[in-house]
Amino acid sequence: MLFNSFRFLVFFPAAVFIYFLIPKRLRYIWLLAASYFFYMNWNAKYALLLAGSTLVTWFGGLLLGLCQEKNAGSFWKKWIVALSFACNLGILGFFKYFDFALGNVNALLERLGMQVLERPFDIVLPVGISFYTFQALGYTVDVYRQDIRPQKNLFKYALFVSFFPQLVAGPIERSKNLLVQIEQMEQAGFRKLYDYDRIASGLRIMLWGYFLKMVIADRIAVIADTVFDSWYFYGTVVLVFAAAAFSIQIYCDFAGYSTIAVGAAKIMGFDLMENFDTPYFARSIQEFWRRWHISLSTWFKDYLYIPLGGNRCGRLRRHLNLMITFLASGLWHGASWHFAAWGAVHGLYQIIGAETRPLRERIYEKTHTKRHSFSFRFGQSAAVFVMAAFAWIFFRAGSLSQAFGYIGRIFTKPDWWALTDGTIYRLGLARREMNILVFSMGILFLVGIVKYKNHETVDAFLAKQCAWFRWGAVAVLFFCIFLFGIYGPGYDAAQFIYFQF
């Protein structure tokens, strides 16, 4: 059930309305049922995988709690965590990486002149499996570290794993945030639950998410898809333009989903973590990853990078830890070498940035660079965007060979005439659609500036303004979605990019 589908626009108000009216002791049961109904709209059978992951990690948490009560040694606790990880990652690995592994084995066998292995069965990747698996495993580690007590109520824990606003594409929540709120939800009376300001805030947040997705992401996707699907026909200008277009598309698409999820949860009284914080305004790749897909980047930092030794090791080991983390992040996004290459590129960015920092500092001092000036900051952000857009080529390409072919044509097939001959209007969007896109991106840029300068969410900024300003902003967003949104008869609600991960 997609957020930008008619079915969700019927499901969500009904789910919230019943949630507000039923006795508070039954609220988590209702939300659990609604969450499983939401998930089963894709494939009812795969709800068994969601339930299986929930049971394994819940039972593992109980065993860890028992070990802590009995003062058992770390040996048994480590084995419990290992078994929980083995079960969950085993299921994830089978559904997500079996075909990838088989394809690589067959490629090796073919190169050696041996008979290839037949594909024994067709595997369909269950939607959201990477997200809820990581969320459940994070709970296991949190209990092991005694950051949170084991949740004894199976249904409350199941709701934590399957909470429908963020179930299939994040943000990947932490038990210290969402599970604690689920435990406290029974304490909220009707007046506290039906808080006008909170509900209005949630609706504004959802509206902004729909604007990002339906007005910008789905429109600019036409350009990115047109060029990337036929990249061998184009030259430098068009290929660079499409790479920049995809950079905007994936941000608006994924940030749009996360924003709708945060707003939907807030209407029901839950505060989810912010997943994006103006990443293209970052002034370094390190800062970019502190602002992009925050829930996943912090998950890898807390549960992989730091356990590997983090930056507490020597320089070479620290770089190795970084590369392992980013390679894992790349493969988490997809079972293909071009995703691994995307992660490796960002890992190299991090390593090169760390190694060249002393040299850059000396250059800035020798040249008396005004590092707090607008021009310097703008140059840094522009450089980060270019580096990120280059890496996104690996992410968007259908294969590693296509990515290298795409990059090769950028440097070998100049088409400077495309800057002036109207080529950009022949990439799938007519002039009117391009004008709408430029106008919408202007709104995106202004909102980004406000958010970056004020160090707060856009809704928090709006809440401080006069009523006429708040309602005016809401009206502009609503009419932009109504007039310019990609929807209507014959429209197939475009799937969010991160659903495939």
Side-chain angles (χ1 to χ4, degrees), residues 338-339 341-342 345 390-397 400 403-404 407:
H338 65 95
F339 287 113
W342 171 76
V345 168
F390 175 81
W392 285 129
I393 295 173
F394 290 94
F395 192 97
R396 176 59 179 81
L400 198 56
F404 284 120
I407 294 169

Side-chain angles (χ1 to χ4, degrees), residues 85 133-143 174-175 299 303:
F85 268 70
T133 297
F134 270 34
Q135 186 155 310
L137 290 178
Y139 164 80
T140 301
V141 177
D142 289 342
V143 174
R174 303 299 182 85
S175 56
W299 196 99
Y303 301 125

